[in-house]
Amino acid sequence: MLIRLGLVIAVTVFCAPTVLAQKQPASNEPPSVSWQAPPEGKAEDYVGQETCEACHADEAKQFQKTIHAHINVAGTKYGTGCESCHGPGKAHADNQMEAAGDAAKLEAGKKLIFSFQGSPKENASHCLVCHETNRVQDSFSGSEHMLQGIACNECHEPHLLKHVAKGERVEPQMAQAKFFDSPQITEENRWLNQSLLRKTQPDLCYQCHKVIQAQFSLPTHHRVPEGLMKCTDCHNPHGTATRPLLKKTGFEVCVSCHIEKRGPFVFEHPVVKIEGCIACHSPHGTIEKNMLIRREGRFVCLQCHVDPQAAGVPHGRLGFQTRGDCVRCHATIHGSNFNEYFLQ
C-alpha cells in the first residue's frame, strides 16, 4: 500500500503540466450590485431623467452609455437615472426655470440637488446606497481609502467629461509601457470597460502611491507598468480584512498566479505559511533577481537562519552558509515532497 501511494505521489509531481505565472491582467469581475430605492424624498419629488437632459445634455449623453442608465426595476417609476445618484430633482428643476437667468437664484438652485461637492463620507454614501450590496465593495466605508478621505468620485467618473485647460501639464507615460506595442483602445471604450475609472491602471493609483511607482521602475518588477498586470489583480481598493488591501490573505494572492509554489507540500517552509512571500520578496520591485529584498540571496536566508545553535542552522558560523549561495543545495525552498531540508 505504501509503495502504491509513493507511485501516485511521484506520478503527480513529475507528470503534472508546468504552470507558469500570469501573463495577462485578470479580467474584471462581474458586479453583484443590486439597485436600492433612494432613501430620501417622495415620488412627487422626482422629475425623471428627461427633465435633467434638457439642461445637462452632455452629461446625459455620456451617462446613457453606462450601466447606471440601464437599471430596469419592475414597478419603479422614480429614483432611477440621474436622480438615483443626485437625489430628487424637482426642487432644483423648478428653481432653474423660475430663475430666468438670475445668477444669484441659479447659484442658490445648485444647492437644491446633490452635486457630489460634499465631504468624502457624504459623497461615498450616495454610491453605497446600491454598491454596499456588492461583495467586492461592501467594506468600502471602513477601508483605508475611505479613512484617508478618498471618496468614490476621486477614482470613478460617471460621465467622463474631460476639459483639459490650456497649458495644463500632462504626465508623461512610463517608459516600460512602450516595451510592448499593443493596440490601444479609445479613451471612451477604456472608461466603459474599466469600471468607469478616470484613468487607466496603474496611472490612477500612481497619483497617490508615488513610492510604489518608483519601485515599479526598478530593474526587477511585476509587469504592471508594461500593462501585463494591473493593481487590482492583487489589491481590492474598496477594502478587505488584510492590511495592504490584498484580495486574499497571506500568500494566497501570490499563488493565484504562481500556482507551482502553492503546494500543499509534505515539507513546508514555515515562513511561507506564516509571514508569506513578502518575507523574502518585494512584490512591487527591487534591483535583485526574483525580486529578493536583500542584495544577495544568502542574506535573505540569514535573516532567520543566523543562530549557529538553532535547529534550522546545521552549518557552523564560519561554514558554507556565510560564503555560498544557499539555494545551490536547498533548491526547493518553497516546499518539498521529498526532503525536510529542501535539498535538491
Side-chain angles (χ1 to χ4, degrees), residues 5 7 11 13 45 64 125 178 217 222 239 257 269 295 327 329 340 343:
L5 180 60
L7 290 174
V11 170
V13 172
D45 296 333
Q64 286 296 330
S125 67
K178 298 182 180 180
S217 299
H222 277 118
C257 297
H269 199 162
R295 185 67 180 83
V327 294
C329 297
E340 61 178 315
L343 294 174

Side-chain angles (χ1 to χ4, degrees), residues 301-326:
C301 303
L302 289 172
Q303 292 179 131
C304 301
H305 302 281
V306 68
D307 183 2
Q309 308 302 322
V313 188
H315 304 289
R317 181 177 292 277
L318 302 177
F320 180 81
Q321 64 155 341
T322 58
R323 295 183 285 111
D325 191 354
C326 305

Side-chain angles (χ1 to χ4, degrees), residues 44-189:
E44 58 268 21
D45 296 333
Y46 293 82
V47 293
Q49 187 166 329
E50 294 78 9
T51 303
C52 303
E53 291 176 358
C55 296
H56 304 283
D58 292 339
E59 288 83 353
K61 180 180 179 180
Q62 291 297 92
F63 179 74
Q64 286 296 330
K65 301 174 183 178
T66 69
I67 189 65
H68 290 145
H70 301 286
I71 299 173
N72 296 315
V73 183
T76 300
K77 298 182 179 180
Y78 70 95
T80 59
C82 306
E83 293 170 303
S84 63
C85 299
H86 293 283
K90 187 176 188 302
H92 170 72
D94 291 345
N95 174 275
Q96 298 298 287
M97 288 187 288
E98 295 171 0
D102 188 315
K105 291 183 178 180
L106 290 173
E107 190 64 28
K110 294 179 181 180
K111 300 179 181 179
L112 298 177
I113 193 152
F114 189 74
S115 57
F116 288 86
Q117 301 297 321
S119 66
K121 182 177 181 180
E122 187 179 10
N123 290 343
S125 67
H126 279 249
C127 303
L128 292 175
V129 169
C130 296
H131 284 271
E132 68 179 356
T133 63
N134 191 332
R135 64 182 184 277
V136 177
Q137 301 157 355
D138 58 359
S139 300
F140 182 73
S141 57
S143 70
E144 185 67 21
H145 283 134
M146 186 70 254
L147 294 176
Q148 296 296 330
I150 301 174
C152 312
N153 56 310
E154 298 290 334
C155 299
H156 300 273
E157 174 54 72
H159 308 114
L160 193 68
L161 294 177
K162 289 191 173 182
H163 302 286
V164 180
K166 185 177 181 180
E168 182 177 343
R169 184 173 183 270
V170 178
E171 292 292 335
Q173 190 179 33
M174 293 189 69
Q176 295 100 319
K178 298 182 180 180
F179 294 165
F180 295 87
D181 187 15
S182 57
Q184 300 294 314
I185 61 175
T186 64
E187 178 65 6
E188 184 173 285
N189 285 338

